[in-house]
Amino acid sequence: MHPEVSGQIVVTMKQLNEFLIPFAGLKLGKHQFEYQINKAFFDSFDYDDFESATIKVSVVFEKKNTMLELNIKHNGTVYVPCDLTNEMFDLPIKGKGRLLVQFGEAYNDDNDELLILPHGEHQINISQFIYEMIVLSIPLRRVHPGVKDGTLNTESLQKLNELRVEEVQEEKNKAAENIDPRWDKLKQLLTDK
C-alpha cells in the first residue's frame, strides 16, 4: 500500500474517533460536547459538494437510567458555488436535531430519531448523525446574496438578465398576436354603455 494513502486513512479514522462518546463512564445527567467541523470531516464521507466548511456543532448529551438523549445543533458556513452565476460564496447554514438512544437485542438505525444499541454497548459514534444533519440543512438551491440584493455584477448574471428581458418581450408579442377577435367584440359591449 502506498504510504500517502495509508496516512490519509489513519487521519480520517482518527478524526472520526473524535465523535466517539464513551457513555458508560459518564454520570447520569447532561453533558456538553463541542466540535469544530471542517472540509476534512466531509472528505471522510466522500462528500465534496463544497470547497470548505467552518461549522460549530454543539451536543447536549443526557444520560438517563434506560436511555440516552442527544440534542445536536450546528451553525456555520460552507463555501459553495452559486447555482445561477457559479460565483463562490459563504453560505450560512444552521440546524438542529434530536436523537434518542435505547438498548435492545440488536443494532437498529431504521428510524431517523431513534437508535437502538445492543445491550452491553458502552460507546456511541455520532459522526454519521452530525454528517446527515449538516448535509440536510444545506439548501437545494444556493443563490449568492449579491444576486438577491442586486449588488453582484458578473458576466453570467448580465447574460441571464438579457435573456430574461427577451423572453418577456417575446411572450407579450405572442399574446398580442393570439387575441381572439371575439374578445374585442365583447369588450366593445362593455364600453358602448
Side-chain angles (χ1 to χ4, degrees), residues 22-83:
F23 57 82
L26 295 177
K27 295 178 182 178
L28 292 179
K30 293 185 179 183
H31 306 275
Q32 181 82 27
F33 297 92
E34 299 284 330
Y35 301 99
Q36 284 298 123
I37 306 292
N38 57 26
K39 178 82 165 90
F41 174 79
F42 295 99
D43 289 343
S44 64
F45 289 96
D46 294 327
Y47 185 81
D48 59 356
D49 273 13
F50 43 82
E51 297 293 318
S52 65
T54 306
I55 304 166
K56 181 181 177 185
V57 175
S58 173
V59 179
V60 175
F61 183 95
E62 186 173 359
K63 183 177 180 181
K64 299 179 181 181
N65 283 330
T66 59
M67 64 185 295
L68 309 170
E69 184 177 334
L70 291 88
N71 288 297
I72 306 170
K73 294 181 182 180
H74 72 278
N75 191 358
T77 60
V78 290
Y79 193 60
V80 295
C82 173
D83 290 335

Side-chain angles (χ1 to χ4, degrees), residues 168-181 184 187:
V168 171
Q169 289 174 348
E170 286 178 16
E171 287 178 19
K172 286 181 181 177
N173 291 340
K174 285 182 182 177
E177 291 173 8
N178 293 333
I179 295 177
D180 190 341
D184 289 336
K187 286 180 185 175

Side-chain angles (χ1 to χ4, degrees), residues 143-154 157 161:
V143 179
H144 194 289
V147 172
K148 292 178 184 176
D149 64 17
T151 59
L152 183 66
N153 191 13
T154 65
L157 193 57
N161 286 334

Side-chain angles (χ1 to χ4, degrees), residues 1-192:
M1 186 180 253
H2 196 273
E4 291 176 8
V5 173
S6 66
Q8 182 181 8
I9 292 170
V10 170
V11 168
T12 301
M13 293 307 290
K14 183 179 179 184
Q15 183 178 11
L16 292 182
N17 283 339
E18 175 186 353
F19 300 95
L20 199 60
I21 299 175
F23 57 82
L26 295 177
K27 295 178 182 178
L28 292 179
K30 293 185 179 183
H31 306 275
Q32 181 82 27
F33 297 92
E34 299 284 330
Y35 301 99
Q36 284 298 123
I37 306 292
N38 57 26
K39 178 82 165 90
F41 174 79
F42 295 99
D43 289 343
S44 64
F45 289 96
D46 294 327
Y47 185 81
D48 59 356
D49 273 13
F50 43 82
E51 297 293 318
S52 65
T54 306
I55 304 166
K56 181 181 177 185
V57 175
S58 173
V59 179
V60 175
F61 183 95
E62 186 173 359
K63 183 177 180 181
K64 299 179 181 181
N65 283 330
T66 59
M67 64 185 295
L68 309 170
E69 184 177 334
L70 291 88
N71 288 297
I72 306 170
K73 294 181 182 180
H74 72 278
N75 191 358
T77 60
V78 290
Y79 193 60
V80 295
C82 173
D83 290 335
L84 295 175
T85 64
N86 214 26
E87 292 289 320
M88 298 299 289
F89 73 103
D90 282 322
L91 175 69
I93 60 167
K94 66 179 179 177
K96 60 183 176 178
R98 180 173 177 232
L99 177 67
L100 295 175
V101 181
Q102 293 182 338
F103 299 94
E105 295 299 315
Y107 181 88
N108 185 340
D109 65 350
D110 291 342
N111 189 324
D112 291 340
E113 293 183 7
L114 176 66
L115 172 67
I116 298 176
L117 292 178
H119 291 292
E121 195 69 39
H122 64 280
Q123 60 187 8
I124 182 173
N125 189 332
I126 61 171
S127 61
Q128 181 70 34
F129 303 105
I130 291 174
Y131 164 75
E132 290 173 4
M133 184 180 67
I134 293 173
V135 169
L136 290 174
S137 72
I138 299 172
L140 293 176
R141 185 171 177 177
R142 301 173 284 205
V143 179
H144 194 289
V147 172
K148 292 178 184 176
D149 64 17
T151 59
L152 183 66
N153 191 13
T154 65
E155 199 173 302
S156 57
L157 193 57
Q158 288 173 354
K159 188 64 176 175
L160 282 172
N161 286 334
E162 288 173 16
L163 293 173
R164 183 181 308 145
V165 170
E166 290 175 12
E167 290 176 11
V168 171
Q169 289 174 348
E170 286 178 16
E171 287 178 19
K172 286 181 181 177
N173 291 340
K174 285 182 182 177
E177 291 173 8
N178 293 333
I179 295 177
D180 190 341
R182 292 176 287 184
W183 286 111
D184 289 336
K185 292 290 182 185
L186 288 172
K187 286 180 185 175
Q188 260 184 346
L189 289 175
L190 289 174
T191 57
D192 286 345

